[in-house]
């Protein structure tokens, strides 16, 4: 299933590919429906473990009307449910090299990201928030607030005295 904004999202995504036609071909031919795209040109990606990323995503979506693109990696199944193991938040270029945070990995220049075609169901990696085609990215300061809030809530749930 595709959506009207998917065409501009695809154009925005493939604009960073060394060979945009090869990227489109990969999306069409790869059984997982994914392609590798270089980070660091139009975006960096901050990658969180699912245990932190899921609650941070919930906080983030309450803080802003629409965050930038967010990827979820769903390789695991527990008790019959599919569980996200990682989330990737698309942020402005340069963010990954300046980010200091425990458990958060940055993908910037020299790294590649597995990216599914927008609006299509794929294998393990899926868009939680697909690119809008206009280049909207998540503000790193707002993401940092969401991560702090998520970490505090998680710690409070794990604290036996609370």
């Amino acid at each position: 299933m595709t959506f009207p904004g998917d065409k501009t999202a695809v154009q925005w995504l493939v604009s960073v590919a060394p060979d945009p036609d090869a990227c489109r071909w990969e999306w069409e031919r790869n059984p997982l429906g994914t392609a590798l795209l270089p980070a660091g040109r139009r975006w960096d990606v901050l990658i969180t473990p699912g245990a932190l990323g899921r609650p941070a995503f919930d906080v983030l979506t309450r803080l802003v009307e629409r965050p930038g693109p967010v990827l979820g990696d769903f390789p695991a199944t527990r008790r019959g449910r599919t569980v996200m193991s990682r989330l990737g938040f698309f942020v402005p270029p340069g963010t990954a090299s300046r980010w200091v945070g425990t458990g958060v990995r940055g993908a910037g220049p020299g790294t590649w990201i597995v990216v599914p075609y927008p609006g299509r169901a794929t294998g393990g990696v899926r868009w939680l928030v697909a690119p809008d085609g206009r280049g909207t990215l998540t503000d790193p300061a707002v993401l940092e607030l969401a991560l702090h809030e998520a970490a505090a809530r998680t710690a409070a749930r794990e604290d036996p005295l609370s």
Side-chain angles (χ1 to χ4, degrees):
M1 176 190 233
T2 58
F3 300 98
D6 293 345
K7 185 175 183 177
T8 57
V10 168
Q11 291 170 341
W12 182 73
L13 287 167
V14 302
S15 71
V16 302
D19 183 344
D21 291 333
C23 179
R24 287 184 176 95
W25 185 91
E26 185 69 18
W27 271 327
E28 294 298 325
R29 304 300 187 280
N30 183 323
L32 297 176
T34 60
L36 285 174
L37 290 175
R41 291 184 181 169
R42 288 189 184 256
W43 65 79
D44 284 356
V45 181
L46 296 178
I47 303 165
T48 67
L52 175 62
R54 283 188 314 273
F57 178 72
D58 292 340
V59 172
L60 182 64
T61 57
R62 286 195 303 275
L63 293 174
V64 295
E65 186 175 325
R66 186 184 195 288
V70 180
L71 287 172
D73 187 9
F74 292 83
T77 302
R78 285 191 211 132
R79 296 185 199 141
R81 318 187 339 209
T82 303
V83 179
M84 272 186 282
S85 65
R86 292 179 295 263
L87 276 79
F89 298 88
F90 282 52
V91 292
T95 302
S97 65
R98 295 186 307 270
W99 192 267
V100 178
T102 303
V104 178
R105 291 184 298 144
T111 59
W112 295 75
I113 301 295
V114 174
V115 179
Y117 189 94
R120 289 188 191 157
T122 64
V125 179
R126 301 180 205 158
W127 290 109
L128 301 179
V129 178
D132 61 10
R134 295 187 314 261
T136 302
L137 299 168
T138 297
D139 180 332
V142 176
L143 178 58
E144 183 178 13
L145 289 172
L147 289 165
H148 282 287
E149 178 67 23
R153 289 180 184 184
T154 301
R157 279 195 301 270
E158 293 172 358
D159 183 359
L161 300 177
S162 58

